[in-house]
Amino acid sequence: MSASPSPSKGRKPRKPFAPKWLVLTHRYLGVSLGLLMLVWFASGVGMLFIHWPKVTSEERAAGLPLMTWAQYRQAPADTPLSAGDLIEDLAGRPILRSGGEVFDLVTGRPLDGVSGEEARWIAAAYARAHGLTARPAEVIAVERDQWTVTGYFNKRRPFWRVRFDDPLASDIYVSQGDGEVSQHTDRAQRVLNWLGPIPHWLYPQVLRQDARLWTQVVIWTSLAGVFLIAIGIYLGLVAWRPWRDERLTPFRGMMRWHHLFGLGAGVLTLTWTASGLLSMQPFGLLDSAPDPRAQAYRAAQEARVEAGPVLAALKAAAPKARQVIVAPFQGEAYLMVDGVRHDAAMRPAALPPSDLAAAAKRLGGEQGLLTVEDAYWYGHHEPARLPVWRVIAADGTRYYLDPATGELLRSFGASARSYRWLHLGLHRLDFIRGFDRGGGWAAAMTALLGVCLVGIGAGVVLAWRRTRHDLGQLGRRLGQFGRARRRA
């Protein structure tokens, strides 16, 4: 991908500015990786506007029907309630989700899967709650497809994919095992994702379904990309000598564009590729070790209570609610009933800030209610959940608690804080508060990506020319060899 420098008129020809082996390494790495680099940066523009489809826990809860408490008959035997357990409706009957199992609260027995017709009912209820008035048209059994390819979906496999008859051909995926709505896509998302997340993350199903292979491919191609760009920056710098030549670059034609734009955006291109590599946390880099303080805090909150009395209190109160979440605090059982805290007897029981502050003392350090985003608790495409209770320990570790329940939502130790800046910060360039999202930020990112794309695109054209040249030479040599053998 290199051409011999062309000295200015009247000047002596330059000596080679770099070892030939380094030039050849850059050239043929570019031939091998140039198109992939082009795809990564072009899809990076798409990533500014196109998001991978997902169903959040809040969206799933909003898509549930109101509970039918009158149908509650039997609590599951020997199954105490614990933090995070859910009580909700499933196809017209109350259920308890606890410890990875689903219990039918009509019979008290574990749920034995979800039928296609039940999946149709669940998907239709979810669709209505989210403003989709179309009807389910077909139900298809799916083990894995492009939109359920990641390991996140493994515990929910297989699925019923419910296709609706709306113009966008919406699909809602319902787990055959536990009946959870797990994914929601439409035709526009399915098409647009091929311009953003799928090529950017190397997410085609044929590769992504093998997590170990996908991980190694992303890591090693990213490493090769970092090496390619680093060599290119060096070669570009030693070739760029405006104080010795009349021209800014000694190259002509396409090589001129590759040199100038590659050099101008080289550091940015390297930054984006290296920070993308760090997203994979290769070889254990930026991995977070278990946090004893966080573990101790969670253990102190836990409470295990018999399900029967709690469910009986819920049936007697019969709140108009879609979901009940078990949210223990300081060894006592509490319930979040559509976001409103109650005790186990279904009496309103808001969490006093003084009680939360006392519990958070075990995490150490400065604490208080956070009502605006900070450098670690922040949104990107969507706003962050606020307010939160923040604790900053003496060693810099940050803890974020739900002020309504006391639940520890997230912690940021040294590795997590490094990940935030070395991957997310460098990849999104969101260092400037107020200029880290939105239209202005997206326009600036698009312009910067465009500069990188010109340099990479020129390199791809040069790689294509070099490949054609080398293949042509190889063909001629093979032809000469064949004619020589025939003459012999």
Side-chain angles (χ1 to χ4, degrees), residues 305-325:
V305 295
E306 291 301 319
V310 173
L311 291 168
L314 279 166
K315 181 177 181 178
K320 291 183 178 180
R322 299 178 185 277
Q323 187 182 68
V324 177
I325 305 175

Side-chain angles (χ1 to χ4, degrees), residues 286-327:
L286 305 183
D287 275 348
S288 294
D291 184 341
R293 284 177 300 204
Q295 293 173 334
Y297 178 86
R298 288 191 173 103
Q301 310 318 309
E302 188 59 83
R304 295 173 67 84
V305 295
E306 291 301 319
V310 173
L311 291 168
L314 279 166
K315 181 177 181 178
K320 291 183 178 180
R322 299 178 185 277
Q323 187 182 68
V324 177
I325 305 175
V326 179

Side-chain angles (χ1 to χ4, degrees), residues 26 37 41 224-234 266-267 269-270 273:
H26 181 66
M37 298 290 292
F41 278 77
V226 168
F227 188 50
L228 169 67
I229 298 164
I231 294 174
I233 291 173
Y234 170 76
V267 173
T269 307
L270 181 63
T273 306

Side-chain angles (χ1 to χ4, degrees), residues 333-385:
Y334 293 92
L335 306 172
M336 295 299 292
V337 183
D338 274 3
V340 180
R341 191 170 184 257
H342 295 72
D343 64 16
M346 277 301 293
R347 296 183 295 255
L351 176 59
S354 57
D355 289 358
L356 179 56
K361 281 184 179 179
R362 72 176 59 249
L363 297 172
E366 174 191 349
Q367 60 174 297
L369 189 68
L370 185 70
T371 57
V372 295
E373 298 178 0
D374 67 7
Y376 299 96
W377 187 264
Y378 66 101
H380 186 54
H381 294 302
E382 301 294 336
R385 173 181 176 180

